[in-house]
Amino acid sequence: MPRVEVDGLTINYDVQGEGEPLLLIPYTSADHACYAFQLPAYTEYFSCVAVDLPGSGESDKPPGPYSTEGYAEQLAAFLGAIGIEQAHVAGMSLGAAVAMHLAARHPGRVRSVSLHSGWHASDAFLKIVLEQWRTLASSLPTVADVVIQGIFPWCFTPDMYVERPEFVDTLADFVRSRPAQPVDGFVAQIDAVIAHDASAALGEIGAPTLITFGARDLVCSTRFAEPLHSRIEGSELVVFDHLSHAGMHEDPEAFNRATLDFLLRQRS
């Protein structure tokens, strides 16, 4: 796995495929491998650069606080460090929050931006859910246990648990197989999510933008669709009627089909 030094931090990342670069930003607690279900489709057309955010995966884990703005600055420097002048950018949840600031602050770096299960600013409901996850981190043995027992139920539909329990088990095994995130790194990411507010930045996003939501998502529900869609000029909105927060895992075929359609239309 390649690594690069960025502002005194070692950033771990993976590159697969050929074509225009596509930066893939993971969600809270996850590393670059969270895009495993997307890579078979995306790498046919793009050079996919999947990164471990500081505090997770095999990147350095400095003490907090972390912020979505800070992550955006680190990723802009990361792209420069690996010799990429401009990339398509996609992020899910925390990754979407970071991508908003990256696109707004560094427009020359961003060819297009895909925001999946994102939100413009944390509201009271989202903060309550995140506080629950923070509390679990102090009581369960590992962050992986927090993800599987506390976060999974918010990210998938009840149908998946009832009809595809073996798939839930497979995803749980996958989470446990990844590099363990320290509790302080997880808590620092949770704090960054709670503090996220890109309200003032949305109007600065000039790159072609795709916004996706799962209609059955409670955490980042379609209550956030109108603020994002209306404030990012020319943005496209896709709602997956049958999916929740982590539709990229629950139905990768539907997710990949819609997101790849947008990405292919943005190529030079």
Side-chain angles (χ1 to χ4, degrees):
M1 295 288 294
R3 297 184 181 187
V4 67
E5 189 89 358
V6 177
D7 296 335
L9 296 175
T10 298
I11 305 295
N12 185 69
Y13 64 103
D14 180 45
V15 181
Q16 296 186 41
E18 295 183 0
E20 295 181 11
L22 169 60
L23 176 66
L24 301 172
I25 312 174
Y27 46 84
T28 304
S29 82
D31 69 350
H32 68 275
C34 70
Y35 285 97
F37 293 162
Q38 281 60 63
L39 289 177
Y42 290 178
T43 54
E44 288 191 37
Y45 307 97
F46 296 92
S47 175
C48 295
V49 182
V51 65
D52 293 352
L53 290 173
S56 60
E58 294 184 358
S59 289
D60 282 351
K61 300 169 182 65
Y66 301 163
S67 69
T68 52
E69 299 98 320
Y71 273 145
E73 293 301 318
Q74 289 168 338
L75 289 181
F78 165 77
L79 289 173
I82 64 173
I84 294 178
E85 181 177 344
Q86 188 179 59
H88 302 275
V89 176
M92 191 272 190
S93 197
L94 169 61
V98 174
M100 293 174 200
H101 285 299
L102 180 59
R105 290 167 172 245
H106 299 276
R109 290 279 185 203
V110 179
R111 171 71 181 168
S112 72
V113 61
S114 300
L115 308 174
H116 308 305
S117 300
W119 73 106
H120 64 294
S122 300
D123 62 9
F125 181 81
L126 179 55
K127 290 177 181 179
I128 285 291
V129 174
L130 292 162
E131 293 289 356
Q132 291 177 357
W133 296 351
R134 189 216 299 268
T135 300
L136 286 174
S138 65
S139 59
L140 292 175
T142 67
V143 171
D145 291 298
V146 177
V147 172
I148 295 162
Q149 297 181 42
I151 299 181
F152 269 19
W154 288 96
C155 292
F156 301 115
T157 63
D159 296 349
M160 193 174 93
Y161 277 85
V162 173
E163 299 169 7
R164 303 162 67 195
E166 71 292 338
F167 185 52
V168 177
D169 292 340
T170 297
L171 291 175
D173 290 341
F174 177 75
V175 168
R176 295 192 188 281
S177 75
R178 303 308 303 160
Q181 184 180 35
V183 171
D184 57 353
F186 174 77
V187 170
Q189 286 192 334
I190 290 293
D191 289 342
V193 172
I194 290 174
H196 173 67
D197 188 346
S199 302
L202 298 181
E204 302 300 317
I205 298 176
T209 302
L210 173 68
I211 301 164
T212 74
F213 285 96
R216 301 177 69 181
D217 186 357
L218 295 179
V219 181
C220 289
S221 73
T222 52
R223 71 187 184 279
F224 294 122
E226 194 279 333
L228 292 177
H229 188 38
S230 64
R231 297 182 201 179
I232 303 177
E233 187 174 354
S235 60
E236 301 179 24
L237 175 64
V238 173
V239 178
F240 300 102
D241 290 340
H242 63 303
L243 296 177
S244 181
H245 191 69
M248 61 188 288
H249 298 325
E250 187 162 354
D251 188 353
E253 183 177 351
F255 181 89
N256 294 348
R257 184 167 55 248
T259 58
L260 193 55
D261 172 74
F262 169 79
L263 286 166
L264 292 175
R265 286 187 279 113
Q266 311 314 318
R267 290 190 297 177
S268 300

